[in-house]
Amino acid sequence: MGNSWEYKVLTLKSEKGNWLNWSAVPPDEEATRLINREGSQGWELVNAVAISAAQPLRLFFKRPR
């Protein structure tokens, strides 16, 4: 049997619920800091999904148990 994984989902929301509003988008530095923080805890980002511009961005991570 292969590795056993655990998973984590983080949701990034805009301030006003509208990703088209530039002031509502988290700065690249902030998003990078968040992903690096998770990486330092052993999480690997495997996917990022936003159904539409008005929806939150969901980040999917995994790591071995």
Side-chain angles (χ1 to χ4, degrees):
M1 188 162 179
N3 286 342
S4 177
W5 300 98
E6 63 178 320
Y7 300 92
K8 180 176 192 174
V9 178
L10 291 179
T11 302
L12 298 180
K13 296 180 183 177
S14 66
E15 294 172 5
K16 298 179 182 177
N18 182 355
W19 286 105
L20 298 178
N21 180 345
W22 285 102
S23 65
V25 176
D28 288 343
E29 298 83 22
E30 185 179 336
T32 299
R33 182 186 52 75
L34 180 135
I35 293 169
N36 281 329
R37 181 192 73 198
E38 298 305 317
S40 71
Q41 296 173 10
W43 294 102
E44 176 184 1
L45 179 64
V46 294
N47 203 355
V49 177
I51 303 302
S52 71
Q55 295 295 313
L57 178 65
R58 298 206 192 297
L59 304 177
F60 297 87
F61 296 85
K62 73 174 187 177
R63 71 178 175 189
R65 286 188 186 245

